[in-house]
Amino acid sequence: MTNISAPLTSVDASTPTPPGWLPDPWGVAPWRWWDGGAWTVHVSGSAERRRLPEWISVPVIVASLFAIPIFIALVALSPISVLLGFVPIIIVLPVMLWLDRVEPEPMPALIHAFLWGATVAVIISGTINSIVAAVFGEVAAAVVSAPIIEEAIKGAGVIYALRRREIDGVMDGIVYAGWVALGFAVIEDITYFAQSSDSGVLAQTFVLRALFGPFAHPLFTAWTGLAIGRAVSQGKPIFPHALWGYAAAVASHALWNGSLAATASWGDSGALLLLTAVVVFVALFFSSAIVLYRTRRNEERRLIQLVPWLAQRYALPPEEIALFGNFTTMLSARRKLAKAERGRFDAVHAALARLVVLHDRPGPTDVGVEQVLIVQLARARSGQRY
């Protein structure tokens, strides 16, 4: 369509939205005509149909061309290392899902974040770190290059999720950062386990990395995600307002790697290395975990506080007010649902949570985005995919 009127930029939210061009809730085109009561078939602007599923992207595909052959080789040469490399998932994944309970993210988007870490971040950082190690030595690669490069590429995965409009709050940034870091950690652990198997120290390496340090990478990158999410929630540009998070991620990563490198240089004492790693990890874990816990609790509390206000604004039915107005009641009700019904429940919950995040931002409400979220809530209630 051509020669259309300008998109709506301000509407009195206390009255029904008048006809106009609003962001297309299905992402087929930039704008879709709202006739005052329903969406129509009329769209405007260049089509932006997603040519790939949400769980994949061009950067992941390109990186996979290099990552998959390496992974296949590791499976053939050291299958036990591959199996052990997935152990941290069992430990970390429940925590990641717990963090994501306030505003659940779509699983395909989280899978893409995991794959970004396992392919894009691994290939780029592995290449650069190998060059640095060859020129300046292993210690320089571990203490300087790895923290700077790895946290930058993992952070780029969070930025990519933001580019896809998947991050609209602080916890979103943390969750996507955690999934990217988890994907990276799994592949990195597999390579370390394979190398240590050849050296005869697989057991020690497994205990150190998989049992004592499974949260290391997610906690490092969580600082970047937290800073990005906070910038988004405050309506500030990502650069430079998120750089402090990247700096914190690099610093904590360098502290972890540096402690291991320093201990290794003291002598061939496995007990000393393990003790140092435990002390450093516990310090990093608790400092980061406290921040994550408080952030998650704040978002949970804000959701509960705004449910009555949402009920008045969007005429929520009494059963939704009773469910989503109390987080304990909501989780208890979800556990009692059949697996097939949990998808609809989660979709309604996610739509309400996104409305909370939208209205919790400073400044006037973006009415176009609000209208999209209202449509998503209606479709979630009806059990439709949106």
Side-chain angles (χ1 to χ4, degrees):
M1 299 179 63
T2 57
N3 297 324
I4 62 171
S5 58
L8 294 178
T9 56
S10 62
V11 177
D12 184 357
S14 65
T15 61
T17 304
W21 293 103
L22 295 174
D24 182 9
W26 298 284
V28 173
W31 305 99
R32 183 176 293 272
W33 183 258
W34 171 261
D35 67 6
W39 296 105
T40 69
V41 298
H42 305 295
V43 296
S44 68
S46 58
E48 295 182 352
R49 293 183 181 274
R50 187 185 295 274
R51 298 180 180 180
L52 294 172
E54 191 176 5
W55 59 270
I56 199 71
S57 66
V58 173
V60 169
I61 292 175
V62 173
S64 296
L65 298 177
F66 301 91
I68 291 177
I70 296 174
F71 183 79
I72 293 175
L74 289 171
V75 171
L77 296 174
S78 183
I80 185 63
S81 299
V82 175
L83 292 176
L84 293 177
F86 285 93
V87 169
I89 293 182
I90 302 174
I91 302 173
V92 177
L93 190 57
V95 177
M96 298 303 304
L97 295 177
W98 176 80
L99 287 173
D100 197 31
R101 285 305 309 143
V102 178
E103 185 197 344
E105 296 302 308
M107 186 54 64
L110 297 178
I111 292 174
H112 175 266
F114 181 91
L115 292 177
W116 180 285
T119 59
V120 178
V122 166
I123 294 300
I124 295 178
S125 61
T127 301
I128 296 176
N129 289 337
S130 297
I131 296 173
V132 173
V135 177
F136 300 102
E138 295 289 344
V139 174
V143 180
V144 180
S145 172
I148 294 174
I149 300 303
E150 291 174 10
E151 295 309 321
I153 307 304
K154 287 187 290 180
V158 184
I159 297 293
Y160 201 90
L162 176 63
R163 176 178 172 271
R164 287 179 157 192
R165 301 181 182 179
E166 291 163 351
I167 296 177
D168 50 22
V170 177
M171 191 52 65
D172 285 353
I174 294 173
V175 167
Y176 281 101
W179 279 80
V180 170
L182 182 59
F184 180 88
V186 166
I187 302 302
E188 185 182 62
D189 282 349
I190 291 174
T191 58
Y192 273 103
F193 294 158
Q195 294 170 3
S196 62
S197 179
D198 295 337
S199 305
V201 291
L202 176 59
Q204 298 93 313
T205 305
F206 174 76
V207 171
L208 177 63
R209 297 189 65 87
L211 301 184
F212 283 106
F215 289 97
H217 276 289
L219 288 179
F220 302 154
T221 315
W223 290 105
T224 303
L226 186 152
I228 291 174
R230 180 169 293 177
V232 171
S233 66
Q234 295 176 350
K236 297 179 179 178
I238 300 303
F239 302 102
H241 291 92
L243 291 180
W244 69 265
Y246 169 69
V250 171
S252 57
H253 195 159
L255 177 61
W256 169 261
N257 286 4
S259 66
L260 299 182
T263 305
S265 66
W266 294 341
D268 193 19
S269 174
L272 182 60
L273 175 63
L274 185 60
L275 177 62
T276 302
V278 170
V279 171
V280 173
F281 175 72
V282 167
L284 290 174
F285 176 84
F286 278 104
S287 61
S288 302
I290 290 172
V291 173
L292 297 184
Y293 177 79
R294 293 186 62 178
T295 302
R296 200 263 194 187
R297 290 290 295 173
N298 288 339
E299 291 209 352
E300 176 184 321
R301 191 179 303 113
R302 193 58 179 153
L303 171 64
I304 294 171
Q305 289 174 346
L306 285 183
V307 162
W309 183 83
L310 292 178
Q312 181 180 17
R313 185 178 182 90
Y314 302 114
L316 303 185
E319 59 268 21
E320 285 186 9
I321 300 174
L323 272 180
F324 300 107
N326 185 296
F327 214 74
T328 302
T329 301
M330 181 188 73
L331 295 180
S332 176
R334 185 184 185 277
R335 284 192 292 266
K336 296 177 182 178
L337 293 175
K339 185 176 181 180
E341 298 175 325
R342 290 181 182 178
R344 176 180 173 275
F345 184 93
D346 289 343
V348 173
H349 171 207
L352 289 172
R354 292 184 186 112
L355 283 167
V356 167
V357 172
L358 174 68
H359 291 295
D360 209 27
R361 292 178 183 173
T365 299
D366 187 323
V367 180
V369 174
E370 181 184 26
Q371 186 60 60
V372 171
L373 296 180
I374 292 173
V375 172
Q376 289 182 353
L377 177 60
R379 293 174 65 85
R381 284 174 176 158
S382 66
Q384 299 180 56
R385 185 177 180 181
Y386 62 92

